[in-house]
Amino acid sequence: MKYLRLSFLLPFLFNFNAFIMAQTPADTGLIQNVFARQIVDLDGRWNYMVDPYENGYYDYRHQAYDQSASDRGGFYDDRKPSDKNELIEYDFDLSPTLKVPGDWNSQEEKLLYYEGTVWYRRKFDVSPQAGKRYFLYFGAVNYEAHIYLNGKKLGMHKGGFTPFQFEVTGKLAAGENSIVVKVDNTRHADEIPTVNTDWWNYGGVTRDVLLAEAPAVFISDYKIQLGRNNTIEGYVQLNGASLSKDVTVSIPEAGIKQTVHTDASGRAAISFPAKKLTLWSPGQPKLYTVTIHTAGDDVSDRIGFRTVEVKGRDILLNGKPVFLRGVSIHDENPLIPGRNRGEGDLRMLLTWARQLNCNYVRLAHYPHNEKMLRLADEMGLMVWAEVPVYWTISWTNPDTYRNAEKQLTDMVIRDKNRASIIIWSIGNETPVSEPRLSFMGKLAAKAHELDNSRLVSAALEVHRQGDVAVVDDPLGEKLDLVSFNEYAGWYWGDKPSDLTRYRFDIKYDRPVVITEFGGDALGGFHADSATRWSEEYQASLYRYQLQLLQTIPGLRGMTPWILVDFRSPRRQHPVYQNFWNRKGLISETGQKKEAFWVLKDFYDQQEKKYQ
Ligand code: GCU
């Protein structure tokens, strides 16, 4: 991460920036690889105010304050009394602070269950440079964010797990600036996700915030991946004015250097021979430094090159059949409860997955931190990436669909250069109905349209006819894999040993990747294997599950639920749960349960089979 050079500016600067603003297209798509830019890191302690009645946004008649009117009362003005008798009923300077990135639930005892609005305020000094452009970038804010700079509204964003940005060229003050963010994590039936989830509704500015600097014309986006017939394919996109320019893509270590010329919209397709690249794989997670250059701008990225496809019942990585030895993971640190805060948290989770002898992880149920995908690239873990189209979504609401499609699009835009991602998932366990099939069918088509270089899937529904678990969910027709969650031995079937009587009837003759199975165990609770909640019960359940799943001819992978215990508002048993979902193979204290070793043994065998 590079930091913005602070330099003194000349008075003519403002009208120059105003000129740039006039030329700049309104919608600046997400800056690809924003951390490679010159940035001011805005993480750290932000002042905050809890505002359950949104008193900082509405007056006592519940009318939103009018920013232009003199009676401005919004907290976003970040004002102080001009003299000793002025009435202002808020003061960020005198308010406590929260760490950013970070959810509020895990930082303040009184906010553990809080759902509503919290105002955040950060002051920072910057001296914008002539001819440069500036973007305020948020890695994620859960759930709805209204963003203000120096009292002026920049815009709003919905969606708790995808990045967003606003161009602030010409809007920054020389010296001190104030960012105010209204964050509201209230759940709503028509949102994505909806009101009911089996994970904690962590609210807040949960990922990095930064101010990025870019030249007047810069490389705002690119896709550089290995396509079919050993060709490097994708595109480069410039942003700014007079965009028809030469752009050179170099991969020095591979002796590749290709120049393309962008059209008037600043875009150029790239397609050139990959020569003798070392392909990325879990066994050899080779990353190349790729540099993109145009007059006035350069950006570098670390990119792995690999292919993934389905052939009959096999998943082929670089043309070779692979078995996905996986585990599901939430974006949560169990040891210091709360959303993952940075690379340390993320590396801990992926290291645990590696200790399980995983070559694959399911990042459930929403886009994880961008750094998680970069770590998966580096550590050699294939990834199932997912949007939170989870359970009982409002299928007939067009705004809900647009929201789902936007979150899917932003996830693909952000992570399309990550070799580790092999599967885009459009959702989880959504109940079968016509409206749901229409909604999810469109979303599947959108995923394939956004990226034809990866597989598209979702956790499908399973239903039981006696001792037969039937997978004939019509959504399966639209997907590249057959993936589903089944909880034989926990939610249905009696004790684990009963699992021997079940079998699967799967309608689709495609690779089968089980997205969830498992059961709870309170770490450290030991009893016989028929005693629910004991580690022995969970270990027995895994043994019988693995036996049952191997009866599926097309079984090509699995991501048991789940790597580590996680917080959930739906798990109230006062002894065994205490608002924790205990299906983790590791407890929230980092203790590996018996079932961890059962699964590891199985993965050791699978690894030998697929050498
Ligand atoms: C569901 C769901 C998970 C949930 C799990 C459970 O299948 O996908 O999000 O946590 O089952 O019940 O523990």
Side-chain angles (χ1 to χ4, degrees):
M1 196 184 282
K2 290 173 282 183
Y3 293 84
L4 200 52
R5 291 178 306 285
L6 295 182
S7 61
F8 292 94
L9 75 156
L10 303 167
F12 70 84
L13 152 69
F14 288 99
N15 48 38
F16 186 91
N17 270 327
F19 170 75
I20 287 282
M21 278 296 287
Q23 303 287 318
T24 311
D27 64 326
T28 32
L30 281 172
I31 297 176
Q32 180 66 205
N33 190 13
V34 70
F35 293 96
R37 290 284 162 196
Q38 296 277 2
I39 61 175
V40 174
D41 180 347
L42 297 174
D43 290 347
R45 289 207 161 269
W46 291 46
N47 297 94
Y48 79 95
M49 287 189 285
V50 181
D51 188 7
Y53 279 39
E54 299 181 291
N55 185 44
Y57 192 79
Y58 299 104
D59 64 20
Y60 77 119
R61 296 302 187 212
H62 209 255
Q63 296 302 308
Y65 287 111
D66 174 351
Q67 285 205 302
S68 55
S70 59
D71 75 338
R72 293 183 330 183
F75 288 177
Y76 39 75
D77 292 332
D78 188 9
R79 292 179 60 213
K80 306 279 284 184
S82 53
D83 57 41
K84 65 183 179 185
N85 75 335
E86 182 179 6
L87 170 63
I88 293 183
E89 295 184 82
Y90 68 90
D91 186 321
F92 276 115
D93 290 338
L94 301 177
S95 295
T97 62
L98 284 171
K99 275 180 278 186
V100 166
D103 61 273
W104 63 62
N105 313 72
S106 58
Q107 292 191 58
E108 285 292 339
E109 184 65 33
K110 65 175 187 278
L111 299 179
L112 177 60
Y113 296 95
Y114 181 69
E115 292 188 315
T117 285
V118 172
W119 292 85
Y120 285 72
R121 191 288 309 268
R122 174 76 150 81
K123 281 183 176 173
F124 66 100
D125 281 356
V126 72
S127 301
Q129 286 200 41
K132 296 291 186 186
R133 296 170 64 189
Y134 295 90
F135 300 86
L136 196 50
Y137 179 95
F138 292 81
V141 178
N142 188 46
Y143 174 81
E144 179 174 319
H146 294 253
I147 317 287
Y148 304 84
L149 176 64
N150 302 326
K152 293 270 177 303
K153 184 153 196 181
L154 297 177
M156 64 90 70
H157 178 268
K158 280 204 286 192
F161 305 96
T162 42
F164 57 95
Q165 72 187 35
F166 297 99
E167 180 153 12
V168 292
T169 310
K171 298 180 179 177
L172 292 164
E176 186 174 88
N177 291 265
S178 160
I179 302 174
V180 174
V181 183
K182 177 186 183 288
V183 181
D184 182 359
N185 74 333
T186 306
R187 290 163 294 122
H188 299 283
D190 291 349
E191 295 301 331
I192 299 285
T194 182
V195 290
N196 194 25
T197 65
D198 193 25
W199 70 79
W200 208 262
N201 178 29
Y202 288 113
V205 184
T206 51
R207 294 188 188 150
D208 295 311
V209 183
L210 54 89
L211 179 72
E213 176 192 275
V217 176
F218 71 102
I219 301 153
S220 60
D221 194 12
Y222 51 86
K223 178 177 184 179
I224 299 171
Q225 289 280 280
L226 184 61
R228 306 275 188 275
N229 48 60
N230 200 33
T231 309
I232 291 181
E233 291 173 345
Y235 63 82
V236 290
Q237 176 70 57
L238 302 181
N239 187 296
S242 61
L243 294 178
S244 181
K245 299 161 69 104
D246 282 351
V247 178
T248 301
V249 178
S250 315
I251 312 177
E253 192 185 342
I256 291 176
K257 185 170 185 174
Q258 292 277 335
T259 297
V260 292
H261 194 80
T262 54
D263 63 20
S265 75
R267 193 176 187 91
I270 59 168
S271 173
F272 45 80
K275 293 187 179 173
K276 281 300 294 162
L277 284 175
T278 302
L279 300 184
W280 183 93
S281 71
Q284 187 174 32
K286 173 69 180 168
L287 299 176
Y288 284 91
T289 296
V290 178
T291 299
I292 308 160
H293 167 80
T294 191
D297 193 33
D298 293 282
V299 62
S300 287
D301 203 343
R302 297 280 288 153
I303 296 178
F305 297 96
R306 55 101 191 94
T307 61
V308 62
E309 57 196 307
V310 162
K311 192 174 176 190
R313 287 179 174 165
D314 283 332
I315 299 170
L316 305 183
L317 182 75
N318 301 326
K320 271 182 65 186
V322 67
F323 187 90
L324 306 181
R325 310 190 307 270
V327 69
S328 293
I329 299 178
H330 261 303
D331 177 32
E332 183 178 284
N333 181 327
L335 308 182
I336 317 164
R339 282 279 170 247
N340 286 321
R341 297 159 185 83
E343 186 174 329
D345 297 11
L346 307 172
R347 196 176 284 275
M348 173 183 73
L349 294 174
L350 293 183
T351 301
W352 279 338
R354 265 268 174 258
Q355 290 171 353
L356 198 51
N357 195 7
C358 290
N359 62 2
Y360 169 65
V361 290
R362 176 186 185 213
L363 300 184
H365 284 290
Y366 36 73
H368 284 220
N369 191 311
E370 179 177 347
K371 293 173 185 168
M372 188 71 152
L373 285 312
R374 290 180 176 277
L375 273 177
D377 274 7
E378 179 195 306
M379 296 171 71
L381 286 159
M382 295 176 281
V383 169
W384 163 299
E386 186 162 292
V387 284
V389 180
Y390 179 98
W391 289 358
T392 53
I393 296 294
S394 300
W395 306 114
T396 56
N397 182 325
D399 291 338
T400 307
Y401 177 78
R402 276 189 287 274
N403 185 344
E405 190 172 274
K406 174 87 168 62
Q407 292 191 37
L408 172 69
T409 303
D410 288 348
M411 175 172 75
V412 173
I413 286 175
R414 188 192 72 176
D415 297 335
K416 57 185 175 291
N417 290 306
R418 304 282 73 79
S420 50
I421 298 179
I422 59 168
I423 301 163
W424 299 119
S425 165
I426 58 171
N428 178 74
E429 263 187 11
T430 53
V432 175
S433 74
E434 263 318 302
R436 169 265 197 174
L437 183 58
S438 162
F439 186 110
M440 296 298 270
K442 272 199 303 188
L443 208 53
K446 184 66 182 176
H448 280 116
E449 175 205 315
L450 286 166
D451 182 356
N452 64 1
S453 69
R454 290 178 172 88
L455 309 179
V456 176
S457 196
L460 298 173
E461 286 292 90
V462 184
H463 60 95
R464 280 190 318 288
Q465 289 163 359
D467 291 346
V468 181
V470 179
V471 182
D472 60 2
D473 184 333
L475 178 57
E477 297 289 355
K478 319 233 184 226
L479 305 175
D480 297 314
L481 302 172
V482 182
S483 302
F484 54 90
N485 306 340
E486 54 85 9
Y487 280 94
W490 187 255
Y491 290 126
W492 48 275
D494 301 328
K495 50 194 177 308
S497 54
D498 290 345
L499 271 57
T500 50
R501 71 169 197 251
Y502 291 110
R503 69 177 178 82
F504 289 97
D505 175 5
I506 298 171
K507 176 182 175 186
Y508 307 104
D509 192 20
R510 291 194 196 126
V512 175
V513 178
I514 308 295
T515 24
E516 294 179 30
F517 71 84
D520 289 58
L522 176 62
F525 171 47
H526 295 285
D528 61 70
S529 60
T531 301
R532 206 175 271 265
W533 306 105
S534 70
E535 287 198 31
E536 287 73 13
Y537 184 103
Q538 186 190 45
S540 172
L541 183 151
Y542 267 72
R543 287 191 191 92
Y544 282 102
Q545 270 281 2
L546 293 170
Q547 207 178 304
L548 171 64
L549 293 173
Q550 292 180 80
T551 63
I552 299 173
L555 183 70
R556 296 294 181 271
M558 55 177 69
T559 45
W561 193 258
I562 186 170
L563 178 67
V564 59
D565 293 354
F566 63 96
R567 268 213 184 105
S568 166
R570 301 178 67 250
R571 307 296 172 170
Q572 283 98 330
H573 191 288
V575 171
Y576 299 119
Q577 294 176 317
N578 287 309
F579 287 118
W580 286 86
N581 182 313
R582 298 284 186 201
K583 292 188 184 66
L585 291 164
I586 299 174
S587 74
E588 87 281 12
T589 61
Q591 176 222 345
K592 295 178 176 75
K593 304 173 189 175
E594 257 188 60
F596 179 98
W597 306 107
V598 172
L599 184 63
K600 182 182 181 312
D601 286 350
F602 174 68
Y603 282 171
D604 291 348
Q605 295 158 38
Q606 285 304 103
E607 185 182 24
K608 291 191 188 82
K609 242 193 244 172
Y610 276 80
Q611 285 299 23

